[in-house]
Amino acid sequence: MKAVVYERPFSVTVKDVDDPQIQHPNDVLVRVTSTAICGSDLHMYEGRTAAEPGIVFGHENLGVIEEVGSGVTSLSEGDRVVMPFNVACGFCKNCLAGETGFCLTVNPGFAGGAYGYVAMGPYKGGQAERMRVPFADFNCLKLPQGEEFETDFVLLADIFPTGYHGCELAQVTPGETVAVYGAGPVGLMAAYSALLRGAAKVFSVDRVPERLAKAEEIGAIPIDFTQGDPAEQIKEQMNGEGTDKGVDAVGYQAQAHDASHEEPAIVLNELVETVRATGRLGVPGLYVPSDPGGPDEHAKHGQLLVSIGRMFEKGQKVGTGQCNVKRYNRQLRDMIIAGRAKPSFVVSHELPLDQAPQAYEKFDKRIEGYTKVVLHPGHALAA
């Protein structure tokens, strides 16, 4: 089958790889109809992780079941399903507690597994024509048959729940004010989720005009951090007071105000200044214990200079960690079906699988309006 394979930094190719096989009675094989490129994929693409050549990318996957293992009880051939990026067993201590992003079974020695991602287990990604799904009864979310809501539903694999998770970590409630740093796909989903949760005012901080325009379209207030300290810009619109809550949807590759270099802790420190005393921060943005491209030796080991003294002084609370997708995906699916949510507004391009190399390059450079790319294996769609 065809799949997107990592070759070296800033280079992926579409090539033939072995077809997936049923390896356990609880497996299913899925024919992938939609698979999205994630900002997290760019960390590997840029050589900022320990990813080695040959890894098949893709952790945001939707498709139709083609083969069912003998132990699977709730799924059948022909079912349309979307898979959380988290690979989870459903029965370990963390899964039973709803912390499926930190499964203790699927990736021995590490809390958490994922498709097509470095250090997250042996599970090949879904930027391919087909994929294997383990513990399928637990990991597959059934969808209505057909092709309706395709680009909405594929976002249930990661970015829509992750954006919502950022608001959950920050405990956003109706009537509150929220600052979301980052207007990439996850940041836009966080701002959108804050509005869905009833926030009175949501600020969206970024520097890319297309992203800020998308944020404004959904009702958020755009803040261009190259035009001055974003915390001060927000406070000016808040009569000097900070926001109730804040979300970091950027992570460790954050940019300095002039966008000339990386400052890995700048978003965390800006949030400390942006959020009022006793407010809460949600941090779904990715931070890693090892960054080969870090700007200094501490950053290369995941050690950042965060203003903990200022945070303590303000009595702020922080929630961190990757999203437990299964905690949210069923309800968010039903909101899409009911017409209450349409996350596909963030999708800028739908492309066939063979255009993945060009899509990665343009998405990485934030050019030509590339905000979110969905690949459709087996389809020859126009750019």
Side-chain angles (χ1 to χ4, degrees):
M1 68 172 183
K2 300 291 185 184
V4 177
V5 179
Y6 175 64
E7 289 188 315
R8 58 186 177 278
F10 301 100
S11 179
V12 296
T13 188
V14 178
K15 61 188 293 186
D16 288 321
V17 301
D18 291 339
D19 285 319
Q21 304 291 327
I22 295 287
Q23 298 179 20
H24 187 278
N26 288 332
D27 290 349
V28 298
L29 301 184
V30 172
R31 173 175 56 83
V32 179
T33 58
S34 293
T35 178
I37 300 176
C38 183
S40 297
D41 291 325
L42 296 183
H43 299 308
M44 295 186 292
Y45 175 75
E46 295 172 356
R48 297 294 292 271
T49 71
E52 296 183 355
I55 186 173
V56 175
F57 282 172
H59 58 266
E60 300 183 50
N61 308 307
L62 179 155
V64 177
I65 294 176
E66 285 194 328
E67 188 175 345
V68 179
S70 61
V72 175
T73 61
S74 65
L75 303 166
S76 303
E77 291 181 22
D79 283 347
R80 184 188 187 202
V81 292
V82 63
M83 284 66 65
F85 77 88
N86 321 113
V87 181
C89 70
F91 53 76
C92 72
K93 181 187 297 185
N94 284 346
C95 284
L96 289 172
E99 306 285 354
T100 56
F102 303 87
C103 177
L104 301 172
T105 303
V106 297
N107 189 13
F110 190 88
Y115 303 99
Y117 210 86
V118 59
M120 298 298 281
Y123 309 101
K124 288 187 178 180
Q127 289 174 15
E129 293 176 316
R130 287 178 293 281
M131 65 179 295
R132 178 179 75 95
V133 180
F135 301 102
D137 284 307
F138 187 69
N139 287 310
C140 290
L141 177 67
K142 285 187 184 181
L143 303 169
Q145 296 289 343
E147 298 181 357
E148 190 177 14
F149 303 120
E150 184 83 4
T151 51
D152 293 299
F153 285 152
V154 73
L155 303 183
L156 291 171
D158 184 355
I159 68 165
F160 192 13
T162 295
Y164 198 90
H165 180 60
C167 293
E168 186 74 10
L169 290 171
Q171 296 184 4
V172 173
T173 59
E176 291 189 314
T177 54
V178 184
V180 178
Y181 276 70
V186 170
L188 288 170
M189 289 295 98
Y192 188 51
S193 296
L195 292 165
L196 288 174
R197 291 166 70 105
K201 188 177 291 187
V202 178
F203 297 93
S204 181
V205 182
D206 207 290
R207 66 180 176 88
V208 180
E210 293 90 347
R211 293 179 169 186
L212 291 171
K214 286 274 190 184
E216 191 168 25
E217 285 175 15
I218 62 170
I221 301 167
I223 300 291
D224 184 345
F225 67 76
T226 66
Q227 301 304 306
D229 186 299
E232 293 305 316
Q233 290 188 62
I234 291 170
K235 287 178 182 178
E236 284 177 10
Q237 298 192 47
M238 291 283 295
N239 296 318
E241 184 179 7
T243 59
D244 298 306
K245 303 293 171 60
V247 177
D248 174 359
V250 180
Y252 73 107
Q253 287 189 259
Q255 296 281 319
H257 288 164
D258 62 3
S260 64
H261 61 281
E262 289 184 9
E263 287 188 24
I266 192 169
V267 167
L268 292 171
N269 289 327
E270 286 288 359
L271 276 172
V272 169
E273 294 304 318
T274 301
V275 175
R276 65 174 175 81
T278 74
R280 190 176 183 96
L281 284 58
V283 187
L286 181 66
Y287 290 88
V288 294
S290 176
D291 173 17
D296 56 55
E297 284 304 311
H298 288 293
K300 288 178 180 178
H301 294 90
Q303 300 166 352
L304 308 182
L305 193 61
V306 178
S307 299
I308 188 69
R310 181 71 168 141
M311 185 186 297
F312 181 90
E313 180 182 67
K314 296 181 75 172
Q316 294 169 334
K317 304 171 186 65
V318 184
T320 70
Q322 71 175 12
C323 178
N324 307 298
V325 172
K326 279 186 64 67
R327 182 173 290 179
Y328 315 107
N329 65 352
R330 188 176 302 274
Q331 293 93 330
L332 296 179
R333 175 201 64 186
D334 293 346
M335 290 181 72
I336 291 169
I337 294 170
R340 298 292 302 277
K342 191 167 182 60
S344 60
F345 76 86
V346 77
V347 175
S348 59
H349 294 76
E350 296 183 64
L351 303 170
L353 191 69
D354 61 10
Q355 290 189 28
Q358 301 97 303
Y360 265 92
E361 180 182 4
K362 292 177 180 179
F363 184 34
D364 185 57
K365 293 178 179 178
R366 279 71 166 172
I367 61 174
E368 297 182 21
Y370 272 67
T371 55
K372 184 66 175 178
V373 181
V374 176
L375 303 172
H376 297 288
H379 289 70
L381 297 173

